[in-house]
Amino acid sequence: PEGETPDVADGLAVNAFATGLDHPRWLYVLPNGDVLVAESNAPDNKPHGIVGRIENWVQKRAGAGGKSADRISLLRDGEGDGIAETRTAFLSGLRSPFGMSLVDDRLYVANTDAVVSFPYTSGDTEIMMPATVLAALPAGDNNRHWTKNLIASFDGQDLYVSIGSNSDHAENGMEAEQDRAAIRKIDIGTGKHRQFASGLRNPVGMAFEPLTGVLWTAVNERDDLGGDLVPDYMTSVVDGGFYGWPYSYYGDYLDPRIKDQRPDLVATARVPDYALGAHTASLGLTFAEGAKLGVEFQDGAFVGQHGSWNRKPRSGYKVIFVPFEDGMPAGKPVDVLTGFVDADGKARGRPVGVVIDKSGALLVADDVGNTIWRVTTAR
């Protein structure tokens, strides 16, 4: 309801940075402090099979069934009061956009079907130039996990692009999973690409751990094995690493639904670094580098948990902080932003993208509340 906010951890405060958005999913902070938000939803694809139709119906009830705005908006807090007083349609006519990254003078955007780029000058509030296609991405008619995220390498030579599976557990056959459930590495200069890591059912959030420079990802795992399986997770990503999907999970735990097993691959499956709870839909990921939220939230990662749509009791629906030491998780998660589910178990919002803004505050995209929340230290 208007005027209400989520609950925040002791010592922190929260306010609405921007409201009235259209399904805001992902965030990116430009060097001048402007905030880009991808207002995006699934493309207008027809769900396949009975299970697909049921899931589509449930997702609509969960607030994820509207038509995609296909837009990236720019939010600017010129007054420095923690509220964006400027909002412009920065890029329009996109195709279910999600990930964004600025490299030199070009902004790269991951549409659901391609990585495209646009020229950018600091201070721009709108880009009218047509897109330049860098590389096509797996999409197609079904395109179950439509979100495609991207992050640029430190040297600006490559993009890492996360591509989710086209099914829950490859129930439509592995032919439908060509080049999916993986992180792809794309050369910015040529558009040539290779598979960087595989067996990741739905990797969404990606970030480089500040101390080690290692790439990490938050992965949304499979359904229909019970309310307490399979844990979503965050993990460091090894070049050439295989993480189990669809044959196994958490290393060599076999999925009993897979008839044509691959023991050769399962033998190499890496155990993820940190479990985030079953069906939490852990999507957002950002490290605390640059955050000014106190000592407790100084070294670690913030995770946006979108929340379960098929589990009772509900899980997720919050933003957590995972403490790190020496570049690795080192302790239990701490709740940062909660209260997205009311006393009757009804969702009031669903956090997705998380990012640290230029002032050191944490921004959280709530795609059902249509709000960007801003978390700061309590004054």
Side-chain angles (χ1 to χ4, degrees):
E2 187 175 349
E4 294 189 21
T5 67
D7 301 321
V8 70
D10 290 344
L12 300 178
V14 61
N15 70 275
F17 180 69
T19 60
L21 296 160
D22 190 348
H23 212 246
R25 295 280 288 183
W26 211 245
L27 299 166
Y28 184 77
V29 179
L30 292 166
N32 69 349
D34 288 344
V35 178
L36 300 182
V37 51
E39 295 176 89
S40 187
N41 212 333
D44 190 19
N45 296 323
K46 295 180 180 179
H48 286 201
I50 294 174
V51 173
R53 289 194 291 272
I54 292 172
E55 288 185 1
N56 192 53
W57 176 76
V58 174
Q59 292 286 9
K60 285 182 178 179
R61 290 193 62 200
K67 185 175 177 60
S68 178
D70 288 346
R71 176 178 62 238
I72 292 174
S73 291
L74 180 141
L75 307 174
R76 179 177 292 170
D77 175 15
E79 298 176 0
D81 60 355
I83 299 173
E85 69 277 354
T86 299
R87 181 187 307 177
T88 61
F90 188 67
L91 282 168
S92 301
L94 301 169
R95 173 79 169 154
S96 295
F98 196 78
M100 300 160 278
S101 189
L102 180 67
V103 180
D104 297 328
D105 59 354
R106 296 200 70 84
L107 179 71
Y108 292 84
V109 176
N111 280 329
T112 193
D113 55 2
V115 175
V116 298
S117 72
F118 303 86
Y120 168 77
T121 300
S122 182
D124 283 351
T125 57
E126 184 179 16
I127 293 178
M128 300 295 291
M129 296 292 289
T132 299
V133 177
L134 176 66
L137 297 175
D141 232 11
N142 190 13
N143 199 23
R144 171 163 172 171
H145 291 122
W146 58 272
T147 55
K148 309 295 199 304
N149 192 19
L150 60 78
I151 186 172
S153 60
F154 288 111
D155 61 9
Q157 299 298 307
D158 301 289
L159 294 175
Y160 296 89
V161 180
S162 60
I163 305 167
S165 66
N166 212 11
S167 63
D168 180 73
H169 55 279
E171 61 271 20
N172 301 319
M174 289 303 290
E175 305 81 27
E177 304 297 339
Q178 184 69 34
D179 297 324
R180 301 192 69 131
I183 292 177
R184 177 180 293 187
K185 188 175 183 179
I186 303 176
D187 183 282
I188 285 180
T190 65
K192 293 181 179 180
H193 63 85
R194 67 176 178 87
Q195 188 168 268
F196 186 75
S198 63
L200 298 156
R201 178 181 176 268
N202 188 25
V204 182
M206 292 187 294
F208 291 105
E209 198 284 317
L211 181 65
T212 62
V214 171
L215 179 67
W216 282 67
T217 187
V219 178
N220 187 205
E221 256 289 359
R222 69 201 79 192
D223 297 318
D224 301 324
L225 288 177
D228 296 320
L229 286 176
V230 170
D232 294 339
Y233 60 85
M234 58 186 289
T235 190
S236 56
V237 185
V238 175
D239 192 353
F242 173 73
Y243 292 81
W245 190 91
Y247 308 105
S248 66
Y249 57 89
Y250 249 81
D252 59 2
Y253 290 91
L254 297 181
D255 189 322
R257 298 166 297 183
I258 309 301
K259 293 183 172 52
D260 296 322
Q261 272 291 351
R262 287 285 305 274
D264 56 326
L265 283 176
V266 171
T268 69
R270 300 184 64 85
V271 177
D273 290 303
Y274 195 89
L276 292 168
H279 309 292
T280 57
S282 296
L283 306 179
L285 176 66
T286 192
F287 284 96
E289 187 176 24
K292 297 178 181 177
L293 297 172
V295 175
E296 185 178 5
F297 304 106
Q298 186 172 323
D299 187 5
F302 296 96
V303 180
Q305 298 190 316
H306 199 220
S308 57
W309 57 269
N310 62 345
R311 182 182 190 270
K312 292 182 180 181
R314 296 186 187 274
S315 56
Y317 292 93
K318 59 185 176 180
V319 177
I320 62 172
F321 178 79
V322 178
F324 270 54
E325 285 183 11
D326 300 323
M328 293 297 292
K332 293 183 178 181
V334 178
D335 286 348
V336 176
L337 204 60
T338 57
F340 288 97
V341 177
D342 67 18
D344 296 323
K346 295 180 179 179
R348 311 168 76 194
R350 303 185 79 187
V352 191
V354 289
V355 70
I356 305 299
D357 73 11
K358 200 166 184 183
S359 73
L362 174 69
L363 299 180
V364 179
D366 173 359
D367 69 352
V368 170
N370 292 321
T371 299
I372 307 301
W373 301 105
R374 185 172 184 267
V375 179
T376 59
T377 55
R379 300 184 188 279

